[in-house]
Amino acid sequence: MRRTRGRVVDVDTLEDFDRRVAAGVRSLSGWRMRALDLTERSSALRSVEVSGALFLGCSLNLADESSVRARGAVVFPEAPGIPIDTYRTTLYTPTDLFDAADYGDSLDARTYAWSERATSRDAALAKSLHDHTIDVALAEWVAGRRLVGVMGGHGVVRGSREYADGVELGQRLSAALTVATGGGPGAMEAVNLGGYLAGRGADARERALSMLASVPSFAPSVAVWVDAAFAVRREFPDGGDSLGIPTWHYGHEPPNPFASAIAKYFRNAQREAILLEVCQAGIVFLPGSGGTVQEIFQDACENFYADESSVAPMILVGREYWTEQYPAWPLLAALAAGRPMQHHVHLVDTVQEAAELASRGT
């Protein structure tokens, strides 16, 4: 995996490093090397200029590390005691995060526990570097895909009508687009499940819903909740692609196991901005409360100041909900009046209507 931007070169595999050096490169200036084991590359490192090179979490012999530092390279070693790979080059998968039978022993739980007590400058740097590498990996995953975001309440439980609607919405949207959510439980899990079941039809959806209904929530047991999800994955192998963008800021809520790719961040504000940024096909808002209302107007602010070519559709599902229970729609419509966004904000009653609008790119 490699990306070149001007003089910046990302080198993420030892094979890529060897190939470039063998081609006769004389300077590593502008190279960003991540998580490479260079302990057997002393000769190569001493044969080239390294001023301006960046070594992120690479393994180096002590003599080589001293040498490259003295010759102008910047070396960021792997900080001790951190459960995650600060310099990882790919997004997470469900099996990465849920890698232990006991959720408390899993990478996801251990990372949250570490983040709660890690307050040093080194820890802050590690978190920033990790989130940067997730940014890079996410940009590579998104390339070539057209994403539609879905936001909604994290309190929606399996077995409810709202959960079933979310699954159907995700399934319908995935016929033409790639769905992205906040990656958590509730409506987010439902939509990612719909993405996972893309192309399988209503019978598969009803079977999956039936399998999950006996474990409505991750409380009191995350492990039991996760096990039910992985049972569905085994019943329907080779599921479709979808994206989850959760955060360890809300680490008491586990990420859902149905997103095929998980861009998990430490910083919630960064994660929320990124979710809006990558959803070029717009956002569908299912019923939710404080967090969903915030996301509606965060998205509205982006659209309010955008020109016609940059406006992304906003579709609110639930006419009564968004006009009476939480009357976000009247304010949104007032903000949109006379602006380029006016014809791109919609209020509908059903997920079927929402999927049709989003798929048309209206």
Side-chain angles (χ1 to χ4, degrees):
M1 185 163 42
R2 175 178 51 82
R3 208 175 55 267
T4 303
R5 293 180 183 151
R7 295 188 62 193
V8 176
V9 179
D10 288 331
V11 181
D12 298 333
T13 69
L14 201 55
E15 292 77 15
D16 194 16
F17 177 88
D18 290 341
R19 180 183 60 80
R20 289 174 174 277
V21 172
V25 67
R26 296 185 177 183
S27 173
L28 307 190
S29 178
W31 285 33
R32 294 188 297 201
M33 290 155 281
R34 293 189 295 176
L36 302 184
D37 183 354
L38 298 172
T39 54
E40 297 183 2
R41 299 298 186 275
S42 297
S43 177
L45 291 171
R46 293 174 184 270
S47 69
V48 294
E49 296 295 326
V50 295
S51 179
L54 184 59
F55 295 83
L56 297 171
C58 295
S59 297
L60 296 159
N61 293 325
L62 289 177
D64 291 336
E65 182 176 339
S66 297
S67 172
V68 298
R69 286 182 187 275
R71 290 185 288 139
V74 176
V75 179
F76 280 93
E78 188 67 68
I82 298 176
I84 43 91
D85 178 2
T86 308
Y87 307 106
R88 66 177 296 117
T89 59
T90 61
L91 299 183
Y92 294 99
T93 68
T95 52
D96 289 336
L97 293 173
F98 299 111
D99 60 346
D102 184 338
Y103 176 70
D105 294 331
S106 71
L107 176 63
D108 189 62
R110 288 185 289 111
T111 302
Y112 174 56
W114 170 80
S115 71
E116 286 290 278
R117 63 177 185 270
T119 58
S120 67
R121 291 183 179 180
D122 286 347
L125 176 60
K127 292 175 183 178
S128 295
L129 288 171
H130 170 273
D131 285 0
H132 168 71
T133 63
I134 292 297
D135 276 346
V136 173
L138 180 58
E140 294 176 352
W141 193 90
V142 166
R145 293 179 168 94
R146 185 162 175 79
L147 273 65
V148 58
V150 182
M151 300 181 181
H154 62 132
V156 172
V157 296
R158 296 168 176 176
S160 68
R161 181 70 259 168
E162 294 81 3
Y163 189 92
D165 284 346
V167 179
E168 182 175 354
L169 175 63
Q171 212 172 10
R172 286 177 177 269
L173 289 171
S174 296
L177 302 160
T178 301
V179 293
T181 78
M188 295 171 281
E189 181 192 53
V191 172
N192 283 128
L193 172 57
Y196 185 83
L197 296 174
R200 292 189 184 268
D203 288 346
R205 181 171 71 245
E206 292 305 317
R207 171 62 177 154
L209 289 171
S210 176
M211 293 175 67
L212 294 171
S214 62
V215 190
S217 173
F218 63 88
S221 173
V222 175
V224 174
W225 180 79
V226 170
D227 286 347
F230 275 95
V232 171
R233 292 174 62 97
R234 290 191 297 272
E235 179 85 1
F236 302 101
D238 304 317
D241 282 345
S242 73
L243 176 66
I245 309 183
T247 171
W248 278 293
H249 180 75
Y250 298 128
H252 59 287
E253 292 186 349
N256 78 74
F258 292 114
S260 61
I262 302 173
K264 191 152 191 179
Y265 288 86
F266 286 104
R267 287 172 171 77
N268 185 50
Q270 182 176 351
R271 160 254 193 178
E272 289 181 338
I274 290 293
L275 182 53
L276 294 179
E277 180 182 321
V278 299
C279 293
Q280 313 96 320
I283 308 285
V284 178
F285 296 93
L286 295 172
S289 55
T292 307
V293 172
Q294 174 195 328
E295 290 157 351
I296 288 173
F297 290 104
Q298 188 172 350
D299 194 16
C301 185
E302 300 270 345
N303 280 330
F304 185 85
Y305 292 106
D307 59 32
E308 181 71 34
S309 65
S310 301
V311 173
M314 300 178 65
I315 304 167
L316 277 62
V317 181
R319 193 175 303 273
E320 181 180 352
Y321 188 89
W322 292 119
T323 58
E324 296 183 22
Q325 185 166 345
Y326 287 101
W329 174 255
L331 178 53
L332 178 61
L335 281 170
R339 309 289 298 187
M341 68 186 284
Q342 181 172 3
H343 302 295
H344 300 280
V345 296
H346 308 276
L347 179 64
V348 301
D349 277 320
T350 68
V351 295
Q352 294 86 354
E353 294 173 277
E356 183 178 354
L357 279 171
S359 298
R360 292 207 312 258
T362 302

